[in-house]
Amino acid sequence: MIFGTLSGILFAGLIAAAVVLILGPIAIPMLHKLKFGQSIRTEGPASHQVKSGTPTMGGIFMVIGIVAATVTCAELNTQILLALFILIGHFFLGFLDDYIKVVKKRNLGLKARQKLLGQIIISIVTIYFATTQLGIETTLWIPIICENIDLGFLYYILVLLVIVGASNAVNLTDGLDGLASGCMAIASSCYVIICLLGGHWELAIFCAAIVGACVGFLKFNFHPARIFMGDTGSLALGGAFAAMGILTQTELLLPVVGLVFVCEALSVILQVLSFQSTGKRIFRMAPLHHHFELGGWKELKVVFVFWTASLICGILGLAILVSA
């Protein structure tokens, strides 16, 4: 490793942010020229229609920043390579989804089963290397009571659920300017600390790179957004978030630190189940951030409240870990 652990964490964050800040002014005009604009759903909030045509796929330079910072500042051991694989694997899934939507003009992008197949492949590779190369056992750490339960084969199902759940939850959160990037910056900051407390020094650098990329991206993505990260970025960040929980074996802390993401995903699931079974909607609109928008909250208020909630959840997750 080129830098010491703490300096590596700092430099990783700065490098990732710098890469994003440098590439942003270059990429945004190019995406405008290529007409890689976001299509806004007509059934969404009316206030969002002015965002139609805003360039998307900003996740490209976010991921470039994360990878560049990690490769520069961290030792490329198996753990880091696996984290990068999960990030880049989801990046390609998101890129294909965005490419189909934006270039091929097919608004739904990848079919759900195609996306799930990709996530299953990523999960299988993750399980193989995590168990055979990293020596991760098929046990689940239970916070508060500090017990480890051997799940056996069920652990492999858990890894799949964590990867699919986290990547899709972050993807669903990416619906307002700066919402997903801000919440992800906060959650990843918490995982920098979790990694340090657990002795995962290199992974802490990876998490810091994500923090830097998200903070740098807010320069262009904060309201009014000049670019969206698209599925290219949100799926990649969600996959990276799953990697944090799996590689530190804190899978049950993940939904605490990322409770905002969980609530966003649950709101969609509950909305669909309720409408299909009763014909009635629980929320004004799902995901959850739209419910508050349609309730009269300004977009910035929703974002700041969700950021605050994310910070509280992160502190709660750290408190649970420290008290263990």
Side-chain angles (χ1 to χ4, degrees):
M1 185 173 63
I2 297 175
F3 305 103
T5 301
L6 294 179
S7 58
I9 288 170
L10 177 61
F11 278 113
L14 291 174
I15 290 170
V19 169
V20 171
L21 290 171
I22 290 169
L23 291 180
I26 300 171
I28 292 173
M30 287 178 60
L31 292 170
H32 261 301
K33 189 174 181 179
L34 292 169
K35 297 182 179 179
F36 281 13
Q38 179 74 43
S39 297
I40 304 298
R41 294 182 305 165
T42 54
E43 63 269 24
S47 61
H48 285 218
Q49 294 306 312
V50 296
K51 301 181 182 184
S52 183
T54 301
T56 187
M57 300 173 77
I60 294 174
F61 53 89
M62 295 182 76
V63 172
I64 290 173
I66 294 167
V67 173
T70 303
V71 170
T72 301
C73 299
E75 179 183 342
L76 298 182
N77 56 27
T78 304
Q79 188 182 57
I80 285 294
L81 291 175
L82 188 53
L84 288 173
F85 165 76
I86 298 170
L87 170 82
I88 295 170
H90 282 88
F91 163 77
F92 278 115
L93 274 180
F95 178 83
L96 282 173
D97 198 40
D98 283 336
Y99 183 82
I100 292 169
K101 291 176 186 174
V102 175
V103 179
K104 297 297 183 180
K105 306 300 181 184
R106 283 164 43 192
N107 197 42
L108 295 178
L110 284 175
K111 295 178 180 177
R113 64 175 179 271
Q114 293 172 324
K115 193 180 295 185
L116 180 60
L117 176 60
Q119 291 169 321
I120 289 173
I121 292 171
I122 293 170
S123 300
I124 291 171
V125 175
T126 300
I127 290 166
Y128 175 78
F129 282 99
T131 55
T132 63
Q133 303 298 314
L134 293 177
I136 290 179
E137 299 178 351
T138 58
T139 56
L140 178 65
W141 176 65
I142 310 297
I144 301 176
I145 65 173
C146 298
E147 292 288 338
N148 287 295
I149 299 176
D150 190 351
L151 297 179
F153 179 77
L154 290 177
Y155 179 76
Y156 307 139
I157 306 299
L158 174 67
V159 170
L160 174 62
L161 291 175
V162 169
I163 288 177
V164 173
S167 57
N168 288 328
V170 175
N171 180 233
L172 289 169
T173 305
D174 184 34
L176 300 179
D177 297 353
L179 178 58
S181 45
C183 289
M184 193 64 199
I186 294 167
S188 299
S189 297
C190 293
Y191 258 93
V192 169
I193 300 171
I194 291 170
C195 288
L196 290 175
L197 292 174
H200 303 281
W201 317 118
E202 309 302 325
L203 196 61
I205 292 173
F206 172 74
C207 296
I210 294 172
V211 175
C214 289
V215 171
F217 190 65
L218 282 172
K219 166 72 175 177
F220 313 107
N221 185 236
F222 189 68
H223 187 75
R226 294 164 54 193
I227 190 168
F228 302 134
M229 68 172 71
D231 287 4
T232 305
S234 59
L235 280 177
L237 292 176
F241 191 48
M244 296 174 199
I246 294 166
L247 296 177
T248 58
Q249 292 195 276
T250 57
E251 294 90 351
L252 291 186
L253 271 187
L254 210 61
V256 178
V257 174
L259 187 58
V260 168
F261 303 135
V262 174
C263 291
E264 292 275 41
L266 280 177
S267 69
V268 173
I269 294 169
L270 292 173
Q271 186 86 322
V272 171
L273 290 175
S274 176
F275 188 73
Q276 289 182 344
S277 60
T278 67
K280 297 180 180 179
R281 293 178 172 85
I282 300 173
F283 305 100
R284 299 181 186 94
M285 183 178 291
L288 190 60
H289 52 261
H290 290 322
H291 171 78
F292 290 104
E293 270 195 295
L294 293 182
W297 287 21
K298 297 293 185 182
E299 182 171 350
L300 277 176
K301 179 178 179 180
V302 178
V303 170
F304 284 133
V305 169
F306 277 45
W307 282 3
T308 303
S310 187
L311 179 60
I312 293 170
C313 293
I315 294 171
L316 176 61
L318 290 173
I320 292 172
L321 181 64
V322 171
S323 64

